[in-house]
Amino acid sequence: MTRRLTVYDLKSLKGRRKWLQLHVDTPAEAAAAVACDIAILSCEPDHNLEAIRAMAPHAFVSVGMPHGAVASPDEAVRLGFAIMRRGADAVYCSHSPRFIEAMAAEGIPVTGHVGLVPNLATWTNFRAIGKTAEEALRVLRAVKDLENAGAACVEVEVVPVRLADHITSATPMITMGMGCGSACDTQYLFSSDVLGTHSGHYPRHSRRYADFIALEAELQSKRIAAFRAFAGEVADGSYPAAEHRVDMDDAAFDRLLTLSQSL
């Protein structure tokens, strides 16, 4: 697409197109996603946001509102507008529906979250959510609450595929699926899991397509080797050599000494 994706575009194609989605951490990752025609991104509202926006001018970017950053619907509206001004197309919010409703009433597209919500995992632990009928009903109720609040999108994380498929068919919201098979409107992963950038836990639904930990270790060893060589040459006097210096001829230096007497 030669212009930025909108909520209208996504809703118009709901049920007719599956979208790729990545959570990116850097402008380089955003540029790589664009090169692969990945049109939906998410990111944090940190110092990289504007550069990510610049690298992905036509992507739909959902930007996180840090959980606990606001304490009232009015504060949510204020921060939501601030995030939109920085380049977001939607504001991810894991706060209650009353915060989402306030932003939606002002025309701010909001991405809600159901299933395994990491910010609320003290109530569920980190596990699949909705495997029993009763728990699945609670997920459906949460979806309906977000829908009634006016959310444009909903992240559906680690729920059974049949439940995710039911949600996607039943709601007008764009469902962003992570750990839900291929049932949702988007297939969503974090770039850190795709690239293998960390040594911590990788969720069951993730897949590593690269090993950036090993690449970074190799780069670090090369940094250390280069710095050690630099330090060694300074110590033995081989750096800086003649070709690294700028010299001044004798006449110019003698004139400098004469002129400097007036200082």
CSV table of all heavy atoms in Angstrom, one decimal, residues 115-117 120-129 135:
chain,number,residue,atom,x,y,z
A,115,GLY,N,-7.3,-13.0,27.1
A,115,GLY,CA,-6.5,-14.2,27.2
A,115,GLY,C,-5.4,-14.0,28.3
A,115,GLY,O,-5.6,-13.5,29.4
A,116,LEU,N,-4.2,-14.4,27.9
A,116,LEU,CA,-3.0,-14.2,28.8
A,116,LEU,C,-2.6,-12.8,28.6
A,116,LEU,O,-2.0,-12.4,27.6
A,116,LEU,CB,-1.9,-15.2,28.4
A,116,LEU,CG,-0.6,-15.0,29.1
A,116,LEU,CD1,-0.7,-15.0,30.6
A,116,LEU,CD2,0.5,-16.0,28.6
A,117,VAL,N,-2.8,-12.0,29.6
A,117,VAL,CA,-2.4,-10.6,29.6
A,117,VAL,C,-1.3,-10.4,30.6
A,117,VAL,O,-1.5,-10.5,31.8
A,117,VAL,CB,-3.6,-9.7,30.0
A,117,VAL,CG1,-3.2,-8.2,29.9
A,117,VAL,CG2,-4.8,-9.9,29.2
A,120,LEU,N,-1.4,-8.5,33.8
A,120,LEU,CA,-2.4,-9.0,34.8
A,120,LEU,C,-2.2,-10.4,35.2
A,120,LEU,O,-3.1,-11.1,35.7
A,120,LEU,CB,-3.9,-8.8,34.2
A,120,LEU,CG,-4.2,-7.4,33.8
A,120,LEU,CD1,-5.6,-7.3,33.1
A,120,LEU,CD2,-4.2,-6.4,34.9
A,121,ALA,N,-1.0,-11.0,34.9
A,121,ALA,CA,-0.8,-12.4,35.0
A,121,ALA,C,-0.8,-12.9,36.5
A,121,ALA,O,-0.9,-14.1,36.7
A,121,ALA,CB,0.5,-12.8,34.3
A,122,THR,N,-0.7,-11.9,37.4
A,122,THR,CA,-0.8,-12.4,38.8
A,122,THR,C,-2.2,-13.0,39.1
A,122,THR,O,-2.3,-13.8,40.1
A,122,THR,CB,-0.6,-11.2,39.8
A,122,THR,OG1,-0.4,-11.7,41.1
A,122,THR,CG2,-1.7,-10.2,39.7
A,123,TRP,N,-3.2,-12.7,38.3
A,123,TRP,CA,-4.5,-13.3,38.5
A,123,TRP,C,-4.7,-14.7,37.8
A,123,TRP,O,-5.6,-15.4,38.1
A,123,TRP,CB,-5.6,-12.4,38.0
A,123,TRP,CG,-5.6,-11.0,38.7
A,123,TRP,CD1,-5.0,-9.9,38.3
A,123,TRP,CD2,-6.1,-10.7,40.0
A,123,TRP,NE1,-5.2,-8.9,39.2
A,123,TRP,CE2,-5.9,-9.4,40.3
A,123,TRP,CE3,-6.8,-11.5,40.9
A,123,TRP,CZ2,-6.3,-8.8,41.5
A,123,TRP,CZ3,-7.3,-10.9,42.1
A,123,TRP,CH2,-7.0,-9.5,42.4
A,124,THR,N,-3.8,-15.0,36.9
A,124,THR,CA,-3.9,-16.2,36.1
A,124,THR,C,-2.7,-17.1,36.0
A,124,THR,O,-2.8,-18.3,35.7
A,124,THR,CB,-4.3,-15.8,34.6
A,124,THR,OG1,-3.2,-15.1,34.1
A,124,THR,CG2,-5.6,-15.0,34.5
A,125,ASN,N,-1.5,-16.5,36.3
A,125,ASN,CA,-0.2,-17.1,36.0
A,125,ASN,C,0.0,-17.1,34.5
A,125,ASN,O,-1.0,-16.9,33.7
A,125,ASN,CB,-0.1,-18.5,36.6
A,125,ASN,CG,0.2,-18.5,38.1
A,125,ASN,OD1,0.5,-17.5,38.7
A,125,ASN,ND2,-0.1,-19.6,38.8
A,126,PHE,N,1.2,-17.4,34.1
A,126,PHE,CA,1.5,-17.5,32.7
A,126,PHE,C,1.2,-18.8,32.1
A,126,PHE,O,1.9,-19.8,32.3
A,126,PHE,CB,3.0,-17.1,32.5
A,126,PHE,CG,3.3,-15.7,32.7
A,126,PHE,CD1,3.7,-15.2,33.9
A,126,PHE,CD2,3.3,-14.8,31.6
A,126,PHE,CE1,4.0,-13.8,34.1
A,126,PHE,CE2,3.5,-13.4,31.8
A,126,PHE,CZ,3.9,-13.0,33.0
A,127,ARG,N,0.0,-18.9,31.5
A,127,ARG,CA,-0.5,-20.2,31.0
A,127,ARG,C,-1.6,-20.0,29.9
A,127,ARG,O,-2.0,-18.8,29.7
A,127,ARG,CB,-1.1,-21.1,32.1
A,127,ARG,CG,-2.3,-20.4,32.8
A,127,ARG,CD,-3.0,-21.2,33.9
A,127,ARG,NE,-4.0,-20.5,34.5
A,127,ARG,CZ,-5.3,-20.4,34.1
A,127,ARG,NH1,-5.6,-21.0,32.9
A,127,ARG,NH2,-6.2,-19.7,34.7
A,128,ALA,N,-2.0,-21.0,29.3
A,128,ALA,CA,-3.1,-20.9,28.3
A,128,ALA,C,-4.4,-20.5,29.1
A,128,ALA,O,-4.6,-21.0,30.2
A,128,ALA,CB,-3.3,-22.2,27.6
A,129,ILE,N,-5.1,-19.6,28.5
A,129,ILE,CA,-6.4,-19.1,29.2
A,129,ILE,C,-7.6,-19.6,28.3
A,129,ILE,O,-7.6,-19.4,27.1
A,129,ILE,CB,-6.3,-17.6,29.3
A,129,ILE,CG1,-5.1,-17.1,30.0
A,129,ILE,CG2,-7.6,-17.1,30.1
A,129,ILE,CD1,-4.9,-17.6,31.5
A,135,GLU,N,-13.9,-20.6,31.9
A,135,GLU,CA,-12.9,-19.6,31.7
A,135,GLU,C,-13.0,-19.0,30.3
A,135,GLU,O,-12.8,-17.8,30.1
A,135,GLU,CB,-11.5,-20.2,31.9
A,135,GLU,CG,-10.4,-19.2,32.0
A,135,GLU,CD,-9.1,-19.8,32.4
A,135,GLU,OE1,-8.5,-20.6,31.7
A,135,GLU,OE2,-8.6,-19.4,33.5
